[in-house]
Amino acid sequence: MTFSKNTLALIYTGVLLFGFFISGLFDVLDYIIVKLLLFTGFALLVFILVWIAVKNSNTK
């Protein structure tokens, strides 16, 4: 089973969204460690998406 980069980015975004939703639902979003984990994940997602966009623009 192989995943493309777009599929992996969509799965990662879904996991991150689910993390924010569950954290807000259980009122643990105010804890600093949860904020660090979620926002680090978000920053990593942005980095990966920019990297994919730059790599795709260089190949065209």
Side-chain angles (χ1 to χ4, degrees), residues 18-55:
F18 185 71
F20 272 110
F21 178 74
I22 294 298
S23 297
L25 190 65
F26 289 119
D27 250 355
V28 295
L29 199 55
D30 290 334
Y31 299 140
I32 191 71
I33 191 73
V34 175
K35 285 181 185 178
L36 286 174
L37 287 173
L38 290 174
F39 287 114
T40 302
F42 181 72
L44 183 64
L45 174 67
V46 169
F47 174 75
I48 290 170
L49 293 178
V50 167
W51 180 60
I52 290 171
V54 168
K55 189 174 178 183

